[in-house]
């Protein structure tokens, strides 16, 4: 519309200039005729021609300064031939109309000369001047202008380009051209193509079903007769092949089948094994200290077995959380933060890696915000729960074809009882028939959700710092639930203190932070909390492991907050009275390291074994029944050759154990690389001797007595 208005304004300006020029010429003719009548010399009438030429030049120069473009002046034309100024409505190839006076009473032919390609590339302007027949110089009566705005290049015109886009045609040409289609017509065309492809697929399906039915009927009647077949074999046409390969069913089939083949090819089996050997040439893996193995006593080694990295999605992303599947131990979940160099990519990413599929992830899920934590649901193996930087709790389903969440909490925040700050910790508690999702954000809000409804939390708590703190603001960074009691939990905070909390009101304490007790020992933000799994003959469920940015790993002894006050006399060595009837608990084992410890997790089966990762990129395995000051093994991930380009060794932020057998250990960090280690029998495995539980219990009692 703006361009059209400019054109109309210029046309009006030119019309006014023509009118003024015609009036001048008329006055000059009248003055010339008067002089001729007074002087009686007819040659004087031609003396006005130079003045008209001068006026014409002045008019051309005025138009040139007004419009800003060069005007063709016609000074090289023969005498008696006049040239019109070129149109100023466009800057493409401008047509200049030249007309001559009629010599024999016939209508003069209209000729068009090209003025060349101008600086700007727009549509060509065609100006047609209709003049009545007759002798002598005539002037145009009206002007017809056609304008087209979609031609953006000066390249030669081709029919193929014209069929692809009708933007370079004028309105009349677009109406008359059979190849020019509007976007709606293109949509209709694509819809017709889809219908045609579906029709071809249906025909092929019907043909195959008829052939199968005929073969089945023949087998029921007796032996299949030999002779010409009613359904001869034929090849598919190109159109039929395209229709089949473009279908979603075919693409899904290829995706599933290729994954099955890759998993089968990854089976670790020595096809060249010679069972006739007496064992002299067989290499004992326990004695091999090759790639990915660490030095240590036999049975306490750790070996790197797999590494996962997606060049398309994992590049420049940090791993924020990791988790093995409880149902399928070969599946490993990794959540990632955003890639700062690719703002067009989804900010949040969750990938499911398969131990038997190294080339690509089994599943890839996205979100519009950074994923800070994610876990497999232990009650629904196909569901994945995640917490985002925007405060939303997200739910993905591996049975869904979409990579986006199938459910998510609203962004409205406090108005409906949701989160408005980043969610760094999520836990799934309860039983198979009655379970909840517990999420905790950095503003101290704890919400309870059900898988069936994420639009509104079933529970809502606001945690505040108990007195005598100067402020009530409490910023949780991690959360952990004991195995025996899903109604109470511990939260680690940015200030370094660990607080016990209750989901519901109970005797002596209200829902929220328990003001009677606090765990003080860390001097920096707490990065991880993990209750002991306690799956043996000795109850060790009151032990909790913590790591923080103060370069330490601490071991605490605690009970459910309701029974802590009763247990004061038995644990007086680590419980100290404080003001307002508040008691402070100190750790009974304090382990200092050489770098920041980002995560520490108990082994799911061995009572005294836990693992930790630090800012230097080290993975350490500890066995407290052997030594409480030095790890039994230590290893740094070795990057495979396929991802060495551009890789820089960075810190490890997360560690997780495979829970079913307890032999695999997954780690990841700032480089976005997922590494899986295999731990040998002395440090992992389901077979645990009762002696190990007894030694761990004696260690706890001995340390408590010494403090």
């Amino acid at each position: 519309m703006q361009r059209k208005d400019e054109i109309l304004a210029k046309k009006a300006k030119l019309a006014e200039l023509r009118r003024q020029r015609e009036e001048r010429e008329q006055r000059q003719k009248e003055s010339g005729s008067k002089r001729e009548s007074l002087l009686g010399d007819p040659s004087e009438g031609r003396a006005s021609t130079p003045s008209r030429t001068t006026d014409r030049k002045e008019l051309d120069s005025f138009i040139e300064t007004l419009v800003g473009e060069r005007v063709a002046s016609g000074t090289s034309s023969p005498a008696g031939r006049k040239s019109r100024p070129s149109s100023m409505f466009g800057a493409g190839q401008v047509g200049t109309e030249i007309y001559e006076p009629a010599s024999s009473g016939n209508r003069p032919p209209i000729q068009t000369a090209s003025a060349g390609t101008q600086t700007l590339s727009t549509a060509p302007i065609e100006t047609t001047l209709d003049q009545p027949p007759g002798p002598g110089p005539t002037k145009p009566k009206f002007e017809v202008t056609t304008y087209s705005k979609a031609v953006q290049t000066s390249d030669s015109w081709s029919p193929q380009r014209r069929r692809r886009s009708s933007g370079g045609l004028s309105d009349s040409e677009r109406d008359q051209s059979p190849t020019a289609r509007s976007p709606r017509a293109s949509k209709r065309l694509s819809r017709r193509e889809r219908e045609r492809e579906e029709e071809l697929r249906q025909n092929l399906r019907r043909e195959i079903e008829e052939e199968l039915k005929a073969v089945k009927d023949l087998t029921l009647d007796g032996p299949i007769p030999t002779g010409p077949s009613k359904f001869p074999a034929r090849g598919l046409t190109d159109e039929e092949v395209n229709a089949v390969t473009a279908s979603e069913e075919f693409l899904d089939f290829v995706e599933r089948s290729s994954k099955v083949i890759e998993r089968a090819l990854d089976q670790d089996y020595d096809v060249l094994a010679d069972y006739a050997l007496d064992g002299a040439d067989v290499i004992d893996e326990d004695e091999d200290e090759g790639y990915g193995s660490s030095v240590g006593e036999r049975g306490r080694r750790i070996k790197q077995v797999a590494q996962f990295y997606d060049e398309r999605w994992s590049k420049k992303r940090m791993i924020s959380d990791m988790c093995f599947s409880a149902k399928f131990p070969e599946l490993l979940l990794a959540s990632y933060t955003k890639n700062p160099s690719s703002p067009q990519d989804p900010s949040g990413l969750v990938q499911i890696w398969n131990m038997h599929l190294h080339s690509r992830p089994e599943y890839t899920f996205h979100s519009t915000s950074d994923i800070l934590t994610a876990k497999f649901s232990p009650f629904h193996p196909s569901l994945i729960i995640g917490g985002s930087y925007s405060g939303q709790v997200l739910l993905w389903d591996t049975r869904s074809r979409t990579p986006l969440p199938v459910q998510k909490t609203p962004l409205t925040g406090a108005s409906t009882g949701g989160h408005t700050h980043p969610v760094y910790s999520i836990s799934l508690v309860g039983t198979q028939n009655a379970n909840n999702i517990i999420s905790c954000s950095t503003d101290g809000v704890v919400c309870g959700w059900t898988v069936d409804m994420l639009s509104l939390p079933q529970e809502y708590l606001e945690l505040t710092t108990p007195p005598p703190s100067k402020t009530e603001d409490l910023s949780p960074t991690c959360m952990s639930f004991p195995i025996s009691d899903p109604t109470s939990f511990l939260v680690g905070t940015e200030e370094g203190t660990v607080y016990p909390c209750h989901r519901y009101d109970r005797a002596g304490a209200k829902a929220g932070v328990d003001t009677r007790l606090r765990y003080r020992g860390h001097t920096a933000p707490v990065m991880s909390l993990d209750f002991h799994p306690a799956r043996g003959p000795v109850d060790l469920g009151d032990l909790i492991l913590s790591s923080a940015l103060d370069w330490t790993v601490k071991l605490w002894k605690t009970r459910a907050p309701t029974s802590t006050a009763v247990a004061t006399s038995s644990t007086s060595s680590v419980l100290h009275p404080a003001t307002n009837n508040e008691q402070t608990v100190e750790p009974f084992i304090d382990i200092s390291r050489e770098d920041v410890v980002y995560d520490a997790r108990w082994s799911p089966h061995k009572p005294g074994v836990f693992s930790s990762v630090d800012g230097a990129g080290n993975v350490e395995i500890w066995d407290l029944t052997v030594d409480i000051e030095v790890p039994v093994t230590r290893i740094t991930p070795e990057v495979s050759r396929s991802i060495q380009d551009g890789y820089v060794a960075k810190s490890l932020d997360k560690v997780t154990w495979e829970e079913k057998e307890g032999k695999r250990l997954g780690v990841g960090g700032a480089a976005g690389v997922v590494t899986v280690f295999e731990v040998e029998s002395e440090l992992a495995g389901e077979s645990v001797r009762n002696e190990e539980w007894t030694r761990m219990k004696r260690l706890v009692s001995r340390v408590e007595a010494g403090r």
Side-chain angles (χ1 to χ4, degrees):
M1 291 300 294
Q2 182 178 0
R3 179 64 177 169
K4 186 176 180 181
D5 295 339
E6 293 177 358
I7 292 172
L8 294 177
K10 291 181 179 180
K11 289 174 63 177
K13 179 70 74 174
L14 289 175
E16 179 64 23
L17 292 174
R18 293 192 190 97
R19 188 185 61 79
Q20 295 177 3
R21 186 183 62 185
E22 291 172 0
E23 292 179 355
R24 259 196 326 270
E25 290 177 354
Q26 186 66 25
R27 289 195 300 268
Q28 290 173 357
K29 288 181 180 180
E30 293 177 357
S31 61
S33 60
K34 289 180 180 180
R35 286 195 300 269
E36 185 178 357
S37 61
L38 294 175
L39 299 176
D41 188 2
S43 62
E44 292 294 332
R46 291 190 295 269
S48 60
T49 303
S51 62
R52 287 199 298 267
T53 304
T54 305
D55 295 338
R56 175 62 179 272
K57 291 182 179 180
E58 293 176 358
L59 178 62
D60 290 345
S61 61
F62 178 75
I63 295 176
E64 181 180 356
T65 56
L66 176 66
V67 182
E69 294 187 11
R70 184 72 177 172
V71 179
S73 65
T75 54
S76 61
S77 301
R81 179 178 298 179
K82 299 182 179 180
S83 62
R84 297 283 297 168
S86 60
S87 175
M88 300 302 161
F89 305 147
Q93 293 183 350
V94 182
T96 304
E97 283 68 33
I98 305 174
Y99 63 93
E100 299 177 351
S103 59
S104 59
N106 298 328
R107 185 188 181 100
I110 299 176
Q111 299 178 356
T112 302
S114 176
T117 303
Q118 304 297 324
T119 304
L120 300 177
S121 295
T122 57
I125 303 302
E126 297 178 357
T127 305
T128 303
L129 301 179
D130 294 340
Q131 71 179 53
T138 58
K139 52 182 180 295
K141 296 297 183 181
F142 60 92
E143 185 178 21
V144 180
T145 302
T146 301
Y147 173 73
S148 180
K149 64 180 180 180
V151 177
Q152 298 295 330
T153 178
S154 60
D155 295 342
S156 59
W157 179 88
S158 63
Q160 183 178 5
R161 183 176 301 170
R162 184 175 181 176
R163 285 195 297 269
R164 281 200 304 265
S165 175
S166 61
L169 303 176
S170 64
D171 295 338
S172 59
E173 291 172 334
R174 188 180 293 109
D175 295 337
Q176 298 174 2
S177 174
T179 60
R181 294 186 177 93
S182 63
R184 183 174 299 178
S186 300
K187 291 181 181 178
R188 287 197 299 268
L189 178 62
S190 62
R191 184 165 58 249
R192 287 196 297 268
E193 290 178 352
R194 290 196 299 269
E195 292 174 355
R196 174 60 179 167
E197 291 178 354
E198 184 62 28
E199 181 182 356
L200 291 174
R201 288 193 289 266
Q202 292 294 340
N203 294 338
L204 290 174
R205 189 178 293 109
R206 191 181 305 109
E207 182 179 341
I208 295 173
E209 290 175 354
E210 291 176 357
E211 184 176 356
L212 292 176
K213 184 179 180 181
V215 173
K216 185 177 180 180
D217 294 341
L218 290 176
T219 55
L220 293 176
D221 296 340
I224 301 176
T226 59
S229 175
K230 186 179 178 181
F231 300 95
R234 69 176 183 86
L236 298 178
T237 63
D238 294 340
E239 189 178 11
E240 291 174 337
V241 170
N242 293 334
V244 172
T245 56
S247 63
E248 294 184 1
E249 294 83 0
F250 179 81
L251 297 177
D252 292 341
F253 168 76
V254 172
E255 180 77 11
R256 293 194 305 269
S257 302
S258 60
K259 288 182 179 179
V260 171
I261 297 300
E262 288 189 44
R263 296 190 204 113
L265 294 175
D266 190 67
Q267 295 298 320
D268 188 11
Y269 178 74
D270 187 6
V271 296
L272 299 178
D274 188 356
Y275 299 106
L277 296 177
D278 57 358
D281 297 333
V282 178
I283 299 176
D284 187 1
E285 291 185 359
D286 291 338
E287 300 298 330
D288 182 23
E289 297 181 1
Y291 171 77
S293 61
S294 63
V295 179
E297 298 181 7
R298 182 172 180 174
R300 291 177 181 163
R301 294 183 181 177
I302 179 173
K303 180 175 61 176
Q304 181 172 322
V305 295
Q307 199 162 65
F308 304 103
Y309 182 80
D310 189 354
E311 183 67 25
R312 168 65 180 89
W313 292 109
S314 304
K315 192 174 183 180
K316 295 185 180 180
R317 293 180 184 263
M318 297 175 57
I319 294 178
S320 57
D321 205 355
M322 299 179 67
C323 179
F324 276 97
S325 173
K327 178 71 173 179
F328 306 104
E330 67 272 14
L331 297 183
L332 174 60
L333 177 150
S335 63
Y336 302 80
T337 59
K338 66 181 177 182
N339 181 357
S341 63
S342 296
Q344 70 278 4
D345 289 341
S347 296
L349 178 68
V350 175
Q351 289 185 325
I352 311 298
W353 296 98
N354 193 328
M355 292 295 299
H356 305 297
L357 188 65
H358 296 265
S359 62
R360 52 178 168 167
E362 190 78 29
Y363 299 98
T364 299
F365 301 104
H366 302 153
S367 75
T368 56
S369 180
D370 296 31
I371 304 299
L372 304 179
T373 179
K375 297 182 183 297
F376 279 108
S377 173
F379 312 109
H380 308 278
S382 62
L383 299 183
I384 300 168
I385 315 297
S388 67
Y389 187 81
S390 63
Q392 288 181 294
V393 178
L394 310 173
L395 176 66
W396 295 275
D397 195 336
T398 57
R399 299 167 295 184
S400 175
R401 293 186 177 182
T402 175
L404 299 176
V406 295
Q407 284 194 69
K408 56 185 177 181
T409 59
L411 279 170
T412 50
S415 60
T416 58
H419 294 291
T420 57
H421 285 64
V423 177
Y424 277 93
S425 183
I426 282 182
S427 297
L428 290 96
V429 297
T431 61
Q432 183 68 36
N433 298 323
N435 51 78
N436 295 98
I437 303 170
I438 308 299
S439 59
C440 183
S441 57
T442 55
D443 59 345
V445 173
V446 176
C447 294
W449 315 82
T450 59
V451 176
D452 300 333
M453 185 178 67
L454 293 181
S455 59
L456 190 67
Q458 305 298 310
E459 304 173 21
Y460 184 84
L461 287 176
E462 291 187 6
L463 305 181
T464 58
T465 306
S469 298
K470 297 181 180 180
T471 177
E472 293 185 354
D473 295 336
L474 189 145
S475 181
T477 55
C478 52
M479 175 178 59
S480 182
F481 280 80
I483 301 298
S484 58
D485 185 11
T487 63
S488 62
F489 58 94
L490 296 181
V491 294
T493 62
E494 289 184 353
E495 66 184 58
T497 306
V498 178
Y499 292 97
C501 305
H502 307 287
R503 292 173 59 189
Y504 312 110
D505 294 339
R506 58 179 63 190
K510 294 183 179 180
V513 177
D514 193 338
T515 59
R516 301 170 298 176
L517 193 67
R518 69 175 63 187
Y519 301 87
R520 188 182 297 275
H522 288 293
T523 58
V526 181
M527 300 304 296
S528 68
L529 288 173
D530 191 28
F531 271 96
H532 198 283
R535 299 177 181 176
V538 179
D539 184 14
L540 298 177
D542 56 351
L543 298 182
I544 186 169
L545 192 68
S546 67
S547 65
L549 297 183
D550 57 0
W551 299 23
T552 63
V553 177
K554 300 183 186 298
L555 189 63
W556 314 74
K557 183 176 176 62
T558 180
R559 297 287 181 183
T562 53
S563 59
T564 305
V566 180
T568 302
S569 59
S570 61
T571 59
S572 58
S573 59
V574 292
L575 279 173
H576 303 282
T579 59
N580 298 329
N581 297 325
E582 180 186 278
Q583 295 174 331
T584 301
V585 180
E586 294 181 354
F588 69 92
I589 293 181
D590 193 339
I591 303 173
S592 298
R593 304 309 302 143
E594 294 85 5
D595 210 309
V596 175
V597 182
Y598 285 105
D599 201 6
R601 300 291 168 181
W602 287 107
S603 169
H605 299 289
K606 295 292 183 178
V609 175
F610 71 90
S611 61
S612 64
V613 290
D614 59 24
N618 299 317
V619 184
E620 296 179 342
I621 308 294
W622 296 76
D623 190 349
L624 298 178
T625 61
V626 176
D627 199 327
I628 62 174
E629 296 182 355
V630 179
V632 294
T633 184
R634 181 176 180 175
I635 189 173
T636 301
E638 296 188 15
V639 181
S640 60
R641 296 178 180 179
S642 60
I643 58 177
Q644 281 183 353
D645 295 339
Y647 174 82
V648 179
K650 297 181 181 179
S651 65
L652 295 177
D653 302 334
K654 290 295 176 179
V655 60
T656 183
W657 289 85
E658 184 267 310
E659 295 184 1
K660 192 171 184 179
E661 296 179 353
K663 292 183 179 180
R664 290 174 181 164
L665 186 71
V667 299
V673 179
V674 177
T675 308
V676 180
F677 297 95
E678 190 172 290
V679 184
E680 296 190 1
S681 58
E682 289 296 324
L683 298 176
E686 297 180 85
S687 59
V688 183
R689 301 184 300 270
N690 291 337
E691 179 186 355
E692 297 181 34
W693 292 92
T694 304
R695 289 206 306 265
M696 186 62 187
K697 188 66 176 178
R698 290 175 182 172
L699 170 67
V700 174
S701 301
R702 185 173 67 252
V703 173
E704 283 186 333
R707 293 179 67 90

